[in-house]
Amino acid sequence: MDNSQREELLDRLMHQTLEEKLGSAKPCDVADGLSAAAPVSATLLWSRTWFRLAVAASVMVSVGIVAMKYESGESKGAKDDRRSATMLASAEKRGPYADDDMADRLDGRPPALIVASPAPAEYDEASIAGDQAGMNSDPLAEIDATISDATVASDSSTTPISPDSPKMGLRDYGNRGLGGRGGNRGEGYATHRDSGKQSEAGVGKSPPGANLGSANKAPSGYYYHDDVGYNAKRGPRDFFEDRPVNPDTGEGRDRFARLTDNRFLAATDNPLSTFSIDVDTASYSVVRSRIEARQLPPPAAVRVEELVNYFSYNYPQPTDGAPFAVHVDVAACPWTAKHRLVRIGLKGKEIAKADRPASNLVFLVDVSGSMQPLNKLPLVRQGLLRLVSELDERDRVAIVVYAGSSGCVLASTPCTQANKERIRSAIAALESGGSTNGAAGIELAYQIAQDHFVKGGANRVILCTDGDFNVGTTDDDSLKRLVADRAKSGVFLTALGFGMGNHNDQMLETIADNGNGAYGYIDDEREVEKLFVRQLSGTLITIAKDVKIQVEFNPALVGAYRLIGYENRILAKEDFNNDKKDAGDIGAGHTVTALYEIVPPSELAEAIKANAATSEGIRNDGARNDGEGGSVDALAFQRPKQELELTEAAKTSGDLLLVKLRYKAPDGERSTLIKTPAKDAGATFAAASSDFKFAASVAAFGMILRQSPFRGDITLAAVEETANANLGEDADGQRKEFVNLVRQLRGMTAEGRGARD
Amino acid sequence: MDVMPASRALGNGRAVSLAEASGDGAPLEHRKPAADGLDGLPPDASPPIAPLDLPSLALPSLVGRHQAEIWRYVRFLGAGDAQADDVVQDTFLAVLKKPPSCREPAAVRVYLRMIARNAFLASLRKTNRQAEFDLDAAEQIWAQTHPRDGGEERLSALDDCLGQLDGRAKQAIDLAYRENQSRADIAAKLEMSEDGVKSLLRRTRDVLRQCVERKINAAGE
């Protein structure tokens, strides 16, 4: 043993001693189990063995009978399944872009061409070296295979991938071991729990040790979590997150609900636009994680309003005792110069950490097998540890886990300094394994929250999962009903999504909406900091619920309008005054922004012509914009409507629109109405506020990613320039990060390469 | 207030109770020492007669006395927390089958470490991994640094040594180990570079190690 090896081992020993002394690493206790094992007699062991053999034989016979039946008479359903699989297979052969407009995405060129761009310099050499060691193909050349624009993006159970295909095993966690993102300690040594899990999932594809990279490896073979292949800014690359890789593991099945962009509606026939607010920010995190992994996010994963609402805006706080204030601005639309852009901003009342009410929190943690990767359960542990460090003796914490069954691993415990160590130990002990019976866990979590209900406090279940509920109550509607029912008791739900590859975005958004909570997606440590530290009050404290907005447009000044984003938040106009109709909730300090693109009456004819060419005609036949548009034959039994008659207010007030907002107190049943009229002073986009311009650039970015037909002539270059010029204070660096993200996306596209060339 | 490992609360995870592993519950093949057997131990015998030479009354005492050391030891060898739990269980299951032949505490400790090391290697093999460093060297260091017990003495000595820390060294240790903060966060709080934090923590651990060794040596004299 040389001296350096000795020093490394001694340092390792001290590191682990410190972890045990000060941290959450504690020796296990196996005494009870072993005592139970000891008295087993040989006779008893024999009898058990025979019993098991008998059971196994019965199972084998049953399976054989079923198999024979299947062989002799295949059911129609099975044949249909097989035919569907064949159709999918033929679709696969035609290529991933054959069925949609993906070939035109972003720059009008097939992404297969896009990926020829060189790897950007941001990636460290160790990552690249490790990737090369772990796989034979260029990761960038695989991007085309990752893009999926479907409700069920890529169901690997029907994707005909041969086990011999080179794509099999690309989702090799051995390669992900490059970084050890999920190590829950910044300094010191990567937890071997993490590295071990990676290699297990890697099925030995990489030679042992190949995943450790080389450049920064600690001499002794164990490594610093943020040394090896770890991009200091963002963590390791995760190129193959939602790739349909392994039909056996089910990896590669992220699910996003398809959305159709809101269309322009004529103000004369559709004067009211009604929607529920959305404070979720998950979509931005998903987009960010994809782009930083050199993948284009599926358009279905891009919800423009969540991108815009990810950022804080400097709206003045409410001064009239209301829980929030409403602000409206109008300026020229940056992507279609003759149109106007309206920004409606809500600012929730801020509550200082010291003033926040007591919290009664139940962490509901998915510990099923799919939570094993580094960016799931290890990140959950890290997040919860961070959250616990922000809590104090006013608060209570319980932990419920669920997998094949559910259980309480920590009874509701006051968060005193003395108890924090036990809470941390319970969090650190969370381990994954098994299938996912989410509903049973939710039931138990709500029960515990209700048992320790704090009147006037923040009673909340915090669900941490990848959303893969595959046992028990698994359909969206049942879970929706369950959480909606429990929310009535005053216990709200926050859904936090983790990881990719099995992520059920749709499920999480649905249950968060119905549970009077928010949905966030945590892709790395920075998101942990944002949600659990900087925005702790907003995450925990709901200041108003069922917040709905209805905008009435003045037909004298508005020819047509389009709500940007909020596609799955649209309400019928009658719902606005219906207090039984559930809507979004707003947390302390939250800002919510909604953007409308407006076509002035003078531009309406041209807009109709332009939109007709894109088959996105301006609709004038109803409040909901879910039809196909097109002309309508003259009615045989009715005369055409009378000419529109404007009110005096429409003619003389000069108001462009009237924003009406309804909200309820967190424990209230009756809504309060706020009305805010807004005029258009004719401001140019250049004259708009910095926040306005930044929000517009984020919306444009979202529309580009969605390949929206309404994105006009905006380019990524313009988005980058506008955003970069309007960073504002940007104390937390989020806006700068956005600019880098746009830049990175440009680097992946022909647009970016053209600019460099 | 109950705190228990998640997998036990579930009753279906990997680290279920040993009662299950011994045949009271669901069969857990991975927990058996062996289709392939632990190194140095015979593979699973058939018929499965448990050679309970060790008096069952003595078993809890043996486990209670040594399980913490075995857990620390296998972590030192490179096991993650969960893997360490499994290896500890495998170790004592193996001891049930082949109890130590002598009762002298130091010899029992060496024997248990040997079993644990073999269990750890078997665990690595199941996942196609290899030990990340020389286990002989690790055993040598362990034996030198734990002359009398399984780590309690070191923990106690460390307690005193931590009390002697002050300034940024103390802050850095607290932030890194008590608060579980990342190196970047610590760097921001202490207004240092991340490399500076890394060096500071390494130096501080070195100081603590020397302090602990001094105290252990003094206690032995």
Side-chain angles (χ1 to χ4, degrees), chain A residues 141-216:
Chain A
E142 300 292 338
I143 287 181
D144 61 316
T146 72
I147 301 168
S148 50
D149 179 18
T151 303
V152 177
S154 50
D155 187 342
S156 53
S157 64
T158 53
T159 304
I161 296 177
S162 157
D164 299 320
S165 160
K167 284 177 185 171
M168 281 291 289
L170 282 178
R171 189 187 180 74
D172 184 338
Y173 290 105
N175 296 317
R176 290 215 253 167
L178 287 168
R181 177 204 296 230
N184 55 7
R185 182 175 295 288
E187 208 286 332
Y189 305 92
T191 60
H192 289 268
R193 179 189 315 206
D194 298 341
S195 55
K197 292 279 169 64
Q198 289 164 355
S199 294
E200 280 172 31
V203 205
K205 275 272 182 183
S206 305
N211 59 341
L212 292 176
S214 57
N216 299 315

Side-chain angles (χ1 to χ4, degrees), chain A residues 464-521:
Chain A
C464 303
T465 179
D466 57 5
D468 179 31
F469 290 29
N470 54 27
V471 175
T473 307
T474 59
D475 64 294
D476 288 12
D477 283 343
S478 302
L479 282 167
K480 197 163 79 175
R481 280 195 298 273
L482 192 152
V483 297
D485 185 50
R486 298 297 186 277
K488 288 176 191 161
S489 68
V491 178
F492 296 166
L493 180 136
T494 294
L496 299 177
F498 288 81
M500 281 289 159
N502 214 15
H503 181 63
N504 193 339
D505 180 86
Q506 185 179 0
M507 167 79 78
L508 291 178
E509 193 187 19
T510 299
I511 60 175
D513 291 347
N514 287 276
N516 282 5
Y519 162 40
Y521 172 72

Side-chain angles (χ1 to χ4, degrees), chain A residues 435-694:
Chain A
S435 51
T436 316
N437 186 347
I442 287 182
E443 291 268 16
L444 181 58
Y446 273 114
Q447 187 58 52
I448 292 172
Q450 275 160 1
D451 288 347
H452 299 88
F453 193 86
V454 177
K455 199 168 180 190
N459 299 281
R460 191 170 287 271
V461 171
I462 297 179
L463 169 64
C464 303
T465 179
D466 57 5
D468 179 31
F469 290 29
N470 54 27
V471 175
T473 307
T474 59
D475 64 294
D476 288 12
D477 283 343
S478 302
L479 282 167
K480 197 163 79 175
R481 280 195 298 273
L482 192 152
V483 297
D485 185 50
R486 298 297 186 277
K488 288 176 191 161
S489 68
V491 178
F492 296 166
L493 180 136
T494 294
L496 299 177
F498 288 81
M500 281 289 159
N502 214 15
H503 181 63
N504 193 339
D505 180 86
Q506 185 179 0
M507 167 79 78
L508 291 178
E509 193 187 19
T510 299
I511 60 175
D513 291 347
N514 287 276
N516 282 5
Y519 162 40
Y521 172 72
I522 294 186
D523 57 338
D524 67 7
E525 297 86 346
R526 287 175 311 165
E527 205 59 26
V528 166
E529 285 290 309
K530 178 175 182 281
L531 284 173
F532 288 156
V533 181
R534 292 201 303 275
Q535 297 180 358
L536 179 68
S537 297
T539 303
L540 298 183
I541 305 165
T542 299
I543 56 169
K545 68 178 183 182
D546 294 343
V547 184
K548 305 168 194 168
I549 292 177
Q550 186 168 70
V551 182
E552 181 180 349
F553 294 92
N554 180 355
L557 300 173
V558 177
Y561 63 87
R562 186 176 89 84
L563 175 60
I564 299 171
Y566 294 91
E567 279 84 1
N568 57 2
R569 306 287 173 148
I570 301 293
L571 299 173
K573 57 181 180 290
E574 296 82 6
D575 291 338
F576 182 69
N577 291 326
N578 179 2
D579 281 350
K580 290 183 180 166
K581 184 71 182 177
D582 189 42
D585 311 295
I586 187 167
H590 275 157
T591 57
V592 178
T593 299
L595 297 171
Y596 278 98
E597 182 178 349
I598 290 195
V599 182
S602 58
E603 301 296 328
L604 190 56
E606 193 176 327
I608 289 172
K609 203 189 306 174
N611 282 290
T614 61
S615 77
E616 299 291 343
I618 293 176
R619 289 172 57 88
N620 57 4
D621 55 353
R624 302 292 292 265
N625 55 348
D626 49 2
E628 292 299 320
S631 64
V632 178
D633 294 336
L635 299 177
F637 307 108
Q638 292 183 38
R639 290 197 184 89
K641 286 180 184 172
Q642 296 298 310
E643 194 175 330
L644 183 72
E645 191 173 337
L646 298 175
T647 63
E648 274 305 302
K651 295 175 194 167
T652 60
S653 68
D655 288 345
L656 184 73
L657 50 84
L658 173 66
V659 178
K660 295 180 288 182
L661 184 145
R662 281 194 178 276
Y663 70 92
K664 294 179 198 162
D667 55 354
E669 290 305 318
R670 299 196 59 173
S671 65
T672 304
L673 177 66
I674 299 176
K675 288 186 178 181
T676 311
K679 291 182 168 56
D680 181 1
T684 62
F685 185 67
S689 70
S690 180
D691 272 359
F692 186 105
K693 287 188 271 192
F694 187 83

Side-chain angles (χ1 to χ4, degrees), chain B:
Chain B
M1 182 169 45
D2 300 324
V3 180
M4 70 181 99
S7 47
R8 296 202 186 159
L10 290 175
N12 72 336
R14 290 181 303 106
V16 291
S17 77
L18 284 172
E20 287 186 42
S22 65
D24 280 342
L28 295 173
E29 294 79 4
H30 68 275
R31 185 159 302 291
K32 288 181 181 174
D36 54 349
L38 300 177
D39 283 358
L41 290 174
D44 240 356
S46 182
I49 297 171
L52 298 175
D53 298 341
L54 192 71
S56 54
L57 280 177
L59 185 69
S61 161
L62 186 76
V63 174
R65 202 177 307 138
H66 296 288
Q67 63 176 346
E69 173 173 17
I70 298 306
W71 182 84
R72 291 177 191 125
Y73 180 68
V74 293
R75 283 185 83 234
F76 181 57
L77 297 185
D81 289 356
Q83 190 186 11
D85 292 354
D86 289 348
V87 171
V88 171
Q89 293 188 10
D90 287 340
T91 300
F92 286 103
L93 276 176
V95 171
L96 271 176
K97 293 184 176 249
K98 193 176 171 73
S101 54
C102 95
R103 289 175 178 262
E104 199 275 313
V108 170
R109 286 181 58 212
V110 171
Y111 177 81
L112 290 176
R113 289 209 300 273
M114 183 194 77
I115 305 276
R117 175 177 161 166
N118 291 335
F120 173 60
L121 286 169
S123 159
L124 290 179
R125 274 201 302 275
K126 282 177 191 163
T127 53
N128 290 324
R129 289 187 296 144
Q130 292 178 349
E132 293 175 359
F133 43 80
D134 182 359
L135 297 189
D136 288 336
E139 165 62 25
Q140 201 180 328
I141 293 286
W142 188 270
Q144 287 169 6
T145 52
H146 297 77
R148 288 176 290 277
D149 73 355
E152 286 73 18
E153 193 177 15
R154 282 179 66 80
L155 286 168
S156 170
L158 178 61
D159 219 4
D160 294 342
C161 297
L162 283 169
Q164 296 170 20
L165 284 183
D166 58 10
R168 288 214 291 196
K170 180 174 178 9
Q171 277 180 290
I173 289 288
D174 281 346
L175 290 169
Y177 290 96
R178 274 190 216 280
E179 299 293 327
N180 205 30
Q181 304 246 349
S182 71
R183 193 188 295 168
D185 288 344
I186 299 171
K189 283 188 177 144
L190 300 186
E191 296 180 338
M192 298 173 69
S193 68
E194 290 189 37
D195 283 343
V197 171
K198 182 179 166 184
S199 303
L200 174 62
L201 284 167
R202 176 74 189 238
R203 282 199 311 275
T204 310
R205 283 198 299 267
D206 200 39
V207 168
L208 289 170
R209 172 164 64 86
Q210 290 169 22
C211 172
V212 166
E213 283 171 4
R214 272 198 308 275
K215 287 183 181 295
I216 289 178
N217 292 338
E221 286 169 358

